[in-house]
Amino acid sequence: ADVLSRWFAASDRLGPAVDLYVAQLHSPPDQLELRFLLAAMTAEVLHARLNLGRGRLSLRRRIRELLQNTPPSFAVAIKDPDAFVDLVVRTRNQYTHWSNPVSAATGRDLLVLAEKVRLLTEANLLHELGFAPAELEKLISRNREVATIAALQT
C-alpha cells in the first residue's frame, strides 16, 4: 500500500492522535506552555492508541516506549533519553497541575522541549505508516528541525 492509503488507515485507527498532531502543525498555540502541553498530549494519545488494551500507563513509560521507535539519528535531538523523559514528565506535571515550577522547562528550553516531543510523535507516526528503519533514518537525518534543535542545545 502507498503512504496515502496507509495514512488514511492510520487516521481511522489513531484518530485523536492524528487530529492533535495536525493541530500542532496548522495552528500551534502562541503560549509556550500550551504548545508543550499539546505536544505532550499528542504523544500520550498516540501511544495509548497504539497500545489499546494495555491499561493505564504512566507518561514516563509512554515516552520511553515512543523513544524506542526512533532511529539512531534522532539521538542528535535527544542526547540523554533519561533526562529528556524526566523533563517531559516534570514539565507536563507543572503545566497541568501548577505544582513545582522549579523543575519545569521555561522560555527557550520549553520551546525546544515542545519541538522535541512533537518530532518524537512525528517519528512514531512515520514508523506506524510503515516507513522502514532505513527510510526513517534518512528522513530524520535530513530534517532541518532536528538539526535546529541540536544546534539550540549547544
Side-chain angles (χ1 to χ4, degrees), residues 3-152:
V3 173
L4 191 56
S5 62
R6 290 190 308 243
W7 172 260
F8 284 117
S11 181
D12 287 343
R13 187 167 48 87
L14 303 176
V18 171
D19 293 344
L20 291 166
Y21 173 73
V22 170
Q24 288 180 77
L25 298 178
H26 293 290
S27 55
D30 291 332
Q31 293 134 331
L32 292 180
E33 296 85 356
L34 294 178
R35 185 177 291 206
F36 169 78
L37 286 173
L38 180 58
M41 182 180 2
T42 305
E44 192 166 15
V45 170
L46 174 65
H47 186 274
R49 299 297 288 204
L50 291 172
N51 295 279
L52 291 174
R54 283 188 58 199
R56 295 183 58 124
L57 301 175
S58 69
L59 176 63
R60 181 176 305 281
R61 183 163 180 185
R62 291 183 190 281
I63 297 297
R64 281 190 199 284
E65 289 183 8
L66 289 173
L67 280 169
Q68 292 173 356
N69 289 332
T70 60
S73 60
F74 204 72
V76 170
I78 299 174
K79 296 178 193 254
D80 182 346
D82 290 333
F84 170 74
V85 172
D86 286 344
L87 187 58
V88 168
V89 170
R90 287 193 323 265
T91 302
R92 193 283 309 258
N93 288 344
Q94 163 57 23
Y95 295 124
T96 300
H97 307 291
W98 293 93
S99 56
N100 188 7
V102 174
S103 65
T106 59
R108 185 177 95 164
D109 293 339
L110 182 58
L111 177 61
V112 169
L113 186 62
E115 288 304 300
K116 286 181 182 182
V117 175
R118 186 185 62 75
L119 288 168
L120 175 64
T121 300
E122 190 172 286
N124 276 269
L125 280 171
L126 290 171
H127 178 266
E128 198 56 29
L129 288 174
F131 282 81
E135 292 173 304
L136 265 177
E137 180 68 29
K138 187 183 289 185
L139 286 171
I140 289 175
S141 66
R142 293 187 315 205
N143 187 316
R144 284 186 232 161
E145 292 170 313
V146 172
T148 300
I149 286 171
L152 287 172

